[in-house]
Amino acid sequence: MPRDTIVILTGAGISAESGLGTFRDVDGLWTRYDLNAVATPEGFARNPALVHAFYNARRANCATAAPNAAHDALARLERDWPGEVLIVTQNVDDLHERAGSRNVLHMHGELSRALCAACGHRWPAPLEMHAADPCPACGAAATRPDIVWFGEIPYHMAEIDRTLDRAGLFVAIGTSGNVYPAAGFVREAALFGARTLELNLDPSDTATDFDETRRGPATELVPAWVSALLAP
Ligand code: APR
């Protein structure tokens, strides 16, 4: 069976050069906000207004950000590569889609969607969202961001596992390898025979699990990697 499926895991680092903050770098989001207050179901239950304010601010940042050369290169790869290219992103921004990528799974949810905590209905998020916003389906005032918080189950795991198991190449871009299950994908892909490559500014916590690691900004590493892969 041809192993021409490529799975690409992206993290906050691929959007850093678009002006969106990472989490664990110097001045990262988790150095400025208490993740227990803004990225857990308990934090939302305690103070939904604070959580909505945190995500409303990130949604506004996203609206003014633009995809960068790394996002563009991955869209070109999806278009020109003969096999499947699946982007599994931990990011909640829509920069991959705005660069033209279509085969994208957001395992931590998306800022662009609202979720009703009462009935599970999802709808396009307004720029400013509030807990009291009534659910269009059931009317409950239980609106939350459609973001997977710590302690919640990531989205699309069955499809991600199926694709990892048949990938010929697994590439991680802009992620610190801090959060599971995403940080374990490299070992899963390697177990099923994939070659593995890390493209990252600094060594991730899982750097030694990769066959190859390249250091530098995503806007330099990713276009160069894609051009070499697509070269005739
Ligand atoms: N180019 C390439 N890599 C970069 C760049 C850049 N310009 N800037 C930063 N990086 C790298 C950093 O070296 C770091 O390894 O991106 C990584 C960012 O790591 P984190 O801030 O931990 O972000 P991420 O790995 O996406 O976090 C995973 O944690 O808090 C949760 O849900 C949140 O999805 C997030 C998850």
Side-chain angles (χ1 to χ4, degrees):
M1 176 174 67
R3 299 294 296 260
D4 56 3
T5 295
I6 302 176
V7 175
I8 300 165
L9 172 68
T10 62
I14 199 170
S15 298
E17 292 162 271
S18 295
L20 298 184
T22 61
F23 294 94
R24 298 173 181 84
D25 290 326
V26 171
D27 198 30
L29 282 168
W30 296 151
T31 66
R32 290 180 283 125
Y33 294 91
D34 172 6
L35 69 83
N36 293 300
V38 295
T40 63
E42 297 78 12
F44 184 69
R46 269 196 308 276
N47 189 341
L50 174 71
V51 174
H52 274 299
F54 175 71
Y55 288 97
N56 288 340
R58 293 183 66 195
R59 196 171 296 109
N61 286 344
C62 263
T64 58
N68 62 50
H71 299 103
D72 295 341
L74 294 186
R76 182 158 65 90
L77 180 66
E78 178 186 298
R79 196 178 54 243
D80 298 343
W81 181 252
E84 179 185 358
V85 174
L86 172 65
I87 294 177
V88 177
T89 187
Q90 300 172 93
N91 299 339
V92 294
D93 63 59
D94 61 350
L95 296 182
H96 284 303
E97 290 85 350
R98 285 163 54 194
S101 290
R102 292 183 309 285
N103 196 16
V104 182
L105 295 178
H106 286 264
M107 63 184 291
H108 290 168
E110 296 173 81
L111 283 171
S112 61
R113 281 209 312 251
L115 170 64
C116 175
C119 76
H121 179 65
R122 288 181 171 83
W123 68 97
L127 204 53
E128 283 273 318
M129 198 181 344
H130 305 283
D133 296 345
C135 167
C138 76
T143 297
R144 58 169 278 184
D146 188 16
I147 300 289
V148 177
W149 286 325
F150 288 98
E152 296 185 319
I153 298 169
Y155 294 153
H156 308 299
M157 284 310 297
E159 184 176 353
I160 293 169
D161 286 334
R162 276 198 307 274
T163 315
L164 280 175
D165 298 357
R166 58 182 167 81
L169 178 59
F170 173 80
V171 186
I173 304 171
T175 180
S176 62
N178 251 280
V179 174
Y180 285 81
F185 290 167
V186 53
R187 287 194 174 194
E188 181 177 350
L191 196 66
F192 285 92
R195 283 186 305 107
T196 57
L197 168 65
E198 178 178 83
L199 305 177
N200 212 54
L201 197 59
D202 308 306
S204 74
D205 285 10
T206 54
T208 53
D209 294 337
F210 288 84
D211 296 321
E212 182 190 356
T213 58
R214 296 179 195 170
R215 295 285 162 253
T219 54
E220 289 173 21
L221 293 181
V222 181
W225 168 65
V226 169
S227 296
L229 203 61
L230 293 177

